[in-house]
Amino acid sequence: MEKVEKGELINSGKAKSLYKSSDPDFYIMHYRDDTSAFDGVKKESLEGKGKTNNKFNAFIMLILEKEGVATHFQKLLSDTESLVKKLDMVPVECVIRNVAAGGICRRLGLEEGLDLDPPTFEFFYKNDELHDPMINDYHIKCFGWASDEQIEEMKIKTFQVNDTLKRLFSEAGMILVDFKLEFGSFKGELLLGDEFTPDGCRVWDSETREKLDKDRFRQDLGNVVESYQTIAKKLGIN
Ligand code: ADP
Ligand code: UDP
C-alpha cells in the first residue's frame, strides 16, 4: 500500500473521528482525548487518552486477528491515528458480561460483582437519543440491521473475543468484567470494527478489585488515563 493521505472528515463521534483516506477502501480513525459518559451528557477532555487508546486498540486487535477474529484494523499511522477498513456498520452493540456491573445491576437489581457463569450476551440499538435501548435478534431482523447469518456471527465472534481476552486479562492479574463490540461488513465479510479499549470495557484488578476502566470517569474516581496506562502496562503494551 502506498503512503496514505488524510482526506475529508466523514464523522466525528464522541471519542473518535473518521476521515477518508487516499484509498477508498480505508478510513483513518483518529482517537481524540474527548471522553463522554451517560449518552454524551458528561463530557471532558483527558490529556493523553487518544494516544493511549490508539496504541491499546492496536495491540488488542492484533491479538484477536491472530486468534482468528477478522478485524478492520490495518496499521498504526501516528500516535493518535490508525488505518482501518471502511465498514458498513451494523448499528448494534454486542455486550458480554462475566461479572455484574453497570446496566445489568440497575436493570435486574443485581449486586455489583456477582459472577455471571455462563457469561451473558446482550444486544443494544446504537442510538444516543434513545439511550441505546436493549434489543433482541428479532428487532435486528425486523428492521433489517443484519441478516440471520450475521447475527449468529456477531454472537460467535463476541464469545470468541471473550474467551481470548478473559484469559489475557486474567494472566495479567485483571478481571475482564464486561465489554462492548461493534461489527460491520466489508465486501461481504463481517469484521470486528470500532475499538477495544478501556473506554468500552470494564476491567478490575484481580486482587483489590479496583476499577481501572471508564467507570473511573463515570464515577469521578480520578486518574482515568493513568489507570488506562496501568492496564496497558500490565498487558505488556509499551
Ligand atoms: P460514538 O458513535 O459512540 O460517538 P465514536 O466517537 O467512537 O463513537 O465514533 C466512532 C464511529 O465510527 C462510531 O459511529 C462507529 O460505529 C464508527 N466506526 C467504527 N469503526 C468503523 C469503520 N471501520 N468503518 C466505518 N465506521 C466505523
Ligand atoms: N459500553 C460502551 N458503549 C456504550 C454502552 C456500553 O462501550 O454505549 C460498554 C461499557 O463500557 C461496559 C459495557 O459496554 O463495558 C456494558 O455497559 P452497560 O450496559 O453496563 O452500560 P452503562 O449503562 O453502565 O454504561
Side-chain angles (χ1 to χ4, degrees), residues 114-158:
L114 178 76
D115 271 333
L116 302 174
D117 187 15
T120 64
F121 180 96
E122 297 160 347
F123 280 125
F124 295 90
Y125 174 39
K126 196 172 154 63
N127 184 318
D128 281 337
E129 278 167 35
L130 299 177
H131 311 293
D132 294 347
M134 193 175 180
I135 50 166
N136 66 31
D137 308 32
Y138 291 88
H139 298 101
I140 300 178
K141 255 190 284 182
C142 171
F143 301 116
W145 293 327
S147 66
D148 280 341
E149 196 190 342
Q150 288 174 324
I151 292 170
E152 278 322 297
E153 261 188 87
M154 288 194 286
K155 289 185 199 167
I156 290 168
K157 285 171 194 254
T158 307

Side-chain angles (χ1 to χ4, degrees), residues 47-48 52 198 224-234 237:
E47 200 188 334
T52 302
V224 181
V225 178
E226 291 80 353
S227 227
Y228 288 16
Q229 287 164 351
T230 300
I231 305 177
K233 203 168 158 199
K234 284 174 185 276
I237 306 171

Side-chain angles (χ1 to χ4, degrees), residues 179-196:
F179 63 90
K180 180 268 301 179
L181 300 181
E182 291 180 33
F183 293 89
S185 51
F186 179 77
K187 301 184 178 184
E189 194 190 355
L190 192 79
L191 302 181
L192 174 61
D194 206 48
E195 65 179 299
F196 190 102

Side-chain angles (χ1 to χ4, degrees), residues 20 23 30 52 61 69 80 87 99 103 143 178 190 198 203 212-213 224 227 231:
K20 275 190 181 169
D23 185 325
H30 175 220
T52 302
M61 291 276 167
V69 179
T80 56
L87 302 184
V99 176
F143 301 116
D178 59 29
L190 192 79
V203 176
L212 301 172
D213 54 80
V224 181
S227 227
I231 305 177

Side-chain angles (χ1 to χ4, degrees), residues 21-125:
S21 79
S22 37
D23 185 325
D25 285 339
F26 291 87
Y27 278 159
I28 292 172
M29 182 169 264
H30 175 220
Y31 285 79
R32 308 194 313 270
D33 285 346
D34 299 325
T35 311
S36 77
F38 313 121
D39 303 314
V41 171
K42 181 178 160 90
K43 284 189 258 188
E44 224 171 287
S45 175
L46 301 173
E47 200 188 334
K49 196 201 63 154
K51 193 172 155 182
T52 302
N53 277 2
N54 187 39
K55 210 193 261 186
F56 195 104
N57 177 68
F59 177 85
I60 298 288
M61 291 276 167
L62 289 175
I63 287 179
L64 294 176
E65 199 77 54
K66 262 192 228 147
E67 293 290 323
V69 179
T71 82
H72 69 157
F73 178 77
Q74 200 68 16
K75 63 174 179 179
L76 283 169
L77 292 176
S78 72
D79 274 0
T80 56
E81 294 166 315
S82 288
L83 189 67
V84 299
K85 285 182 179 141
K86 174 183 169 178
L87 302 184
D88 184 9
M89 297 303 288
V90 178
V92 305
E93 303 184 332
C94 302
V95 170
I96 280 196
R97 301 176 192 272
N98 297 303
V99 176
I104 199 170
C105 294
R106 294 192 294 276
R107 206 166 46 241
L108 302 181
L110 304 178
E111 199 174 317
E112 181 178 84
L114 178 76
D115 271 333
L116 302 174
D117 187 15
T120 64
F121 180 96
E122 297 160 347
F123 280 125
F124 295 90
Y125 174 39

